[in-house]
Amino acid sequence: MRTLKQMLVPASMAFVLLSACAFAQTPSSKSTPLTGPGSIAGLWLKSGYRNLSLASLRTPERDKVQRTIDGEWPPLQPWASDELELRIKKSQEGDPILTTQAQCLPGIPVMLLGGGAYPIQILETPGQVTMLFEEMNHFRLIHLNSEHPKDLDPTYMGDSVGHWEGNALVVDTVSLNEKTPIDWLGMSHSAQLHLIERYRRTDKDTLELVMTIDDPKTFTKRWDVKQVFRAAPADRGLTEYICENNRDVPDKDN
Amino acid sequence: MQFLNKMRVPVGIALMVLSAAAFAHHSYAKFDMNRLVTLEGTVKEFQWTNPHVWIQLEVKDPTTGNVVEWSIESDSPNMLQRRGWTRKSLQAGDKAVAVVHPLKLGDNVTSGALDKLIVNGQPVGAAAAAKPAEDAK
C-alpha cells in the first residue's frame, strides 16, 4: 500500500504563482502550457525519429541504434553487443527479431526515444505528471514527491516518481520488465534498469529530455541519451491507436 | 495469440508468426528499400487509422490476368497529414497507381510499403519524405 504525499512542494507552487503573473495565457491550445513557463505540459512530438516512418527504409540499420548524448555507440556488455549485432543483421536481411513494438505492446524507454512519430501529451495535476502516448494508446504516471514502493512487480511502463528541481522535472524509474527495449531496433536491458530523466522546457515550443541509463548488467557504465520534443500542431490532440485495424500481416508467405 | 483470430491469413502463416515480426505493427525493415514496384488497380479499402494507414488495392496481374489484392502500408495519419494527406484522399472505387517497396523475403509477395500514390491521375500529398531528415524536423 503506497503512501502518497498530496501536498504540493511549496517552492514549486511559489514558482508557478510568480510566473503565472508574468506569463501571458494564450487561448486554449494544446501546445501552450496551462501553468507557468517552467511547465512541461503540452502536446509534443519527438524530433529526430527515424525508426517508424517510411524514411526508416532509407536509414541504415546502424543509424537506428540509440546513441549516447555525444553520438557514440552505446557502452554495451559483450552479451548485449552480440545481441544487438544479431538484431542489426536480421533487420538488414528483412527478417527482424520480434520486439514488443511489433506486438503492439507499450514500453519505457522505447516510447520516449527514437521510435515512432506519434505525439505525446503531458498533463500536470497536483501530485502527478501524466504522459499520454498516442503510440499504443497508452499512459504513464509519474508520482510526484513520492517513493518507489518496496515490493514492486516489473511492468512495461515501470514505476516512476518525480520532483521538480527549479524548472526541471526529474523522474526516477525502476521495475521495468525485461521485454521492453531501449530503442526501436530492440536493444535489450536487464531487470536492473534504472532510468533518471530530466525534462526541461527550453522555450515555448521545445522540450528537452536528458535520460541517464543505469544498468550494469547490460552496459559497462551509465550513459546519457538526449531526446528533443517539439510542440505538435495537431488541433484535436491524440488520435486513437488500436492495433486491430492492421489486419493484414506482411509476411514472407503472404 | 488473439491477433491471429482476427486476421484473414492463410493457415501456413501461423507457423511464421512465432519466428518473424509478423504481427499487426511490424517493422519497416521487412520491406526492400532497393526495389520499387508500380501497381495499377482499384482501391478496395482505405484504412485511415493508427498505427498505419493501409490501402487494399486490387491489381490485375499482367501475366495471368488474375486480380490480386495487395496490402499497402503507409505511415500514421498524423504523419501523412503533415504531408498533405487527409482521410478523404482516397476511397473505395478510386483508380490508383501505387509505387511500393515490396517485402524483402518471400515468393508471391502481395505486400508493400507505400512510396508514392497517384489517384485518378493526381499525386496524393507525399507518401514518403524525400530524405529521412525531413521527417525529423
Side-chain angles (χ1 to χ4, degrees), chain A residues 48-49 52-54 57-58 91-92 101-102 117-119 134 240-241 245-252 254, chain B residues 7-8 16 22-23 25 28-29 33 45 47 49-51 54 75 78-79 103-104 106 108 111 114-115 135-136:
Chain A
Y49 54 82
L52 180 65
S53 80
L54 212 57
L57 270 177
R58 299 175 180 87
S91 194
Q92 285 166 341
Q101 268 58 33
Y118 306 101
E134 179 174 295
E240 184 174 85
Y241 181 125
N245 233 355
N246 284 253
R247 53 206 191 134
D248 272 286
V249 180
D251 195 280
K252 54 188 176 192
N254 196 354
Chain B
M7 288 178 181
R8 297 198 293 268
M16 287 309 307
F23 286 103
H25 187 48
Y28 273 110
M33 70 162 248
E45 223 182 309
Q47 297 174 35
T49 56
N50 269 329
W54 285 87
D75 288 329
N78 186 300
M79 291 186 66
L103 290 178
K104 272 181 199 164
N108 241 14
S111 265
L114 187 69
D115 183 74
D135 267 327

Side-chain angles (χ1 to χ4, degrees), chain A residues 118-137:
Chain A
Y118 306 101
I120 299 168
Q121 185 169 9
I122 301 181
L123 312 171
E124 293 173 6
T125 53
Q128 182 174 300
V129 171
T130 308
M131 295 182 168
L132 302 178
F133 293 87
E134 179 174 295
E135 188 174 2
M136 315 296 174
N137 226 54

